[in-house]
Amino acid sequence: MNPRTRTPQPPAQQPGPARLFAMRFTSTPRGARLARRLVAHRLDSWGHPYASAVHETVTAVTAELAANAVRHGHVPGRDFHLALTESAEEVPVLRVEVTDTRGDRWPRPGPAPGGEGGRGLLLVAALARDGGTVPRTAGPGKTVWAEVVT
């Protein structure tokens, strides 16, 4: 991962990642779909088969975070960055981080006032062990992250 875009870790005694997949995607619905598909493929290649619960969970979390980056974090001409890591712990943890360059809109879990959307982060919170949002360290924006225990 590029050290300029590395996000602060939540307080924990974790060794560094055993595996890492990171890539930039266009901030479009097509980019969000591609991010989800590449994460699904990477999980399978890391030994988390397509039909497994952890695969379906991490793929769903990735889909929601990538869709939110496109829908709420889009800045014309700017991409979003996705990083998937698997820790080297005895019980590995998969961490999904999605970074966008829009710093004026931070996610709020729960239904949007008067709207149909806004439930995606509630789903992420239910599926993930932990999650949160931190400011982007190399410029404007934020990183939304979630961790799933394998």
Side-chain angles (χ1 to χ4, degrees), residues 8-136:
Q9 296 289 322
Q13 291 81 18
Q14 299 182 33
R19 296 180 174 146
L20 168 67
F21 168 73
M23 191 170 194
R24 292 194 187 284
F25 296 91
T26 60
S27 189
T28 63
R30 185 177 185 182
R33 284 190 307 272
L34 180 59
R36 180 190 55 78
R37 290 188 67 168
L38 290 178
V39 163
H41 177 72
R42 188 56 52 119
L43 288 168
D44 184 62
S45 72
W46 286 355
H48 305 287
Y50 284 100
S52 69
V54 70
H55 186 283
E56 291 179 4
T57 299
V58 174
T59 303
V61 167
T62 300
E64 182 57 35
L65 297 184
N68 282 352
V70 170
R71 189 173 299 118
H72 305 294
H74 175 74
V75 173
R78 301 275 175 94
D79 297 337
F80 71 90
H81 183 266
L82 179 134
L84 172 69
T85 57
E86 183 173 31
S87 70
E89 297 174 287
E90 186 175 327
V91 177
V93 174
L94 290 160
R95 180 180 173 108
V96 179
E97 296 180 355
V98 176
T99 302
D100 65 54
T101 56
R102 188 157 187 184
D104 62 330
R105 294 183 75 181
W106 286 70
R108 289 179 299 160
E116 295 274 329
R119 292 172 183 83
L121 289 178
L122 292 175
L123 173 68
V124 170
L127 294 173
R129 159 184 94 164
D130 199 5
T133 305
V134 294
R136 183 172 170 241

